[in-house]
Amino acid sequence: MPARRADDTSYALLVNGSATGNGVVIRGGEYMIYFDGILNGATISLQTLSPSGQWMTVEAFTGSAISYSNTPRSQTGIDLPAGQARCALNGGSPSGINAYLVGLG
């Protein structure tokens, strides 16, 4: 089995947010995501910036998007490359949203 990149840093993607966050530079590796707050009909998803400059929703190995319509939620085993990550909020009227990406290094 090849060695996996380790990152033991915690990244705040949204803190008390109500709209899509800015990109945050991450080191890459295996992560856990935590979401909490009031979505009020919104959907929150984890996104990364592609090499072509397009924000794309991250999918788990099962092919399902890391996207939720209720909180609190967490998911582990998310492999991400070095680059930028953010949380996108779509629809509804979200408030007090927190999202943290935590390296499992």
Side-chain angles (χ1 to χ4, degrees):
M1 178 173 199
R4 186 175 282 179
R5 183 185 311 207
D7 182 2
D8 59 0
T9 307
S10 177
Y11 302 93
L13 302 181
L14 280 175
V15 177
N16 199 27
S18 60
T20 295
N22 294 323
V24 174
V25 176
I26 64 170
R27 291 177 33 202
E30 187 176 7
Y31 294 90
M32 182 164 191
I33 187 88
Y34 296 92
F35 300 120
D36 65 63
I38 311 284
L39 286 173
N40 288 328
T43 300
I44 189 168
S45 58
L46 176 62
Q47 296 183 334
T48 56
L49 189 62
S50 76
S52 66
Q54 179 73 32
W55 285 103
M56 299 183 158
T57 299
V58 174
E59 292 186 1
F61 289 116
T62 61
S64 59
I66 298 176
S67 178
Y68 298 104
S69 57
N70 57 29
T71 61
R73 290 290 198 146
S74 65
Q75 183 170 337
T76 192
I78 304 166
D79 288 311
L80 297 174
Q84 291 190 53
R86 73 176 186 183
C87 280
L89 290 165
N90 294 299
S93 55
S95 65
I97 303 297
N98 299 299
Y100 298 93
L101 193 62
V102 178
L104 299 177

